[in-house]
Amino acid sequence: MMPHALSISGLHGAVEDMAMSLREEGYTVTLEMSDLPEIENTKQVMIYRLMQEVISNIRKHANAKTILLQLLSYDNILNLIIEDNGDGFDYEKALNKDGLGIKSINSRAEFLDGNIEWDSKPGEGTSISINIPL
């Protein structure tokens, strides 16, 4: 089922709405998007849900003030980068806990045949980079 924001304005508009909502919550948000190519609906939904999951984790755990959202496409690859200036965490410890957030994000990236890189350390914020073939 396609989220309402996607069905109305596509991935580009839905991500803009996401950034605006975060700003209304008090976050400083930097949004960068290149001209996104046509992306099939199923992939758009999964990319959007993936971003929602990451942002949900930022809201719940990061104590961040700023968030960077980037969607850049090149050579039939969509590069999604989400960074925050929050508390950061130990990725291996978090992965081995019972929570589903990181596991869900990793499985969504895997479903999209993407590769994901986590860069986070306690006290230093978090950066997630996902390359998704289009």
Side-chain angles (χ1 to χ4, degrees):
M1 187 162 162
M2 183 170 274
H4 186 68
L6 278 177
S7 62
I8 290 175
S9 53
L11 185 59
H12 193 278
V15 172
E16 285 177 337
D17 289 349
M18 189 181 289
M20 185 172 51
S21 176
L22 287 166
R23 287 181 187 115
E24 289 170 357
E25 292 175 36
Y27 293 96
T28 300
V29 178
T30 301
L31 175 61
E32 298 174 8
M33 284 191 279
S34 64
D35 292 329
L36 300 179
E38 284 294 316
I39 300 172
E40 66 158 292
N41 287 345
T42 302
K43 274 194 174 182
Q44 283 189 52
V45 171
M46 289 301 290
I47 291 164
Y48 183 74
R49 296 280 188 224
L50 183 98
M51 292 182 73
Q52 283 183 316
E53 185 75 36
V54 172
I55 288 168
S56 175
N57 281 357
I58 292 170
R59 284 180 175 127
K60 288 180 188 175
H61 306 292
N63 294 313
K65 301 284 186 243
T66 59
I67 299 172
L68 168 69
L69 302 172
Q70 286 183 325
L71 284 137
L72 309 171
S73 80
Y74 59 92
D75 295 336
N76 291 322
I77 300 284
L78 178 68
N79 178 242
L80 168 60
I81 297 172
I82 303 175
E83 295 180 355
D84 69 65
N85 71 337
D87 295 340
F89 61 95
D90 182 310
Y91 175 77
E92 290 302 323
K93 283 183 184 176
L95 189 60
N96 291 320
K97 285 187 177 179
D98 291 335
L100 295 176
I102 291 175
K103 292 172 187 166
S104 174
I105 292 165
N106 286 341
S107 68
R108 288 179 196 272
E110 186 178 313
F111 177 83
L112 291 163
D113 295 322
N115 66 337
I116 185 167
E117 292 180 25
W118 293 83
D119 183 13
S120 186
K121 292 183 180 108
E124 296 185 19
T126 299
S127 177
I128 302 166
S129 177
I130 307 167
N131 288 316
I132 301 164
L134 300 174

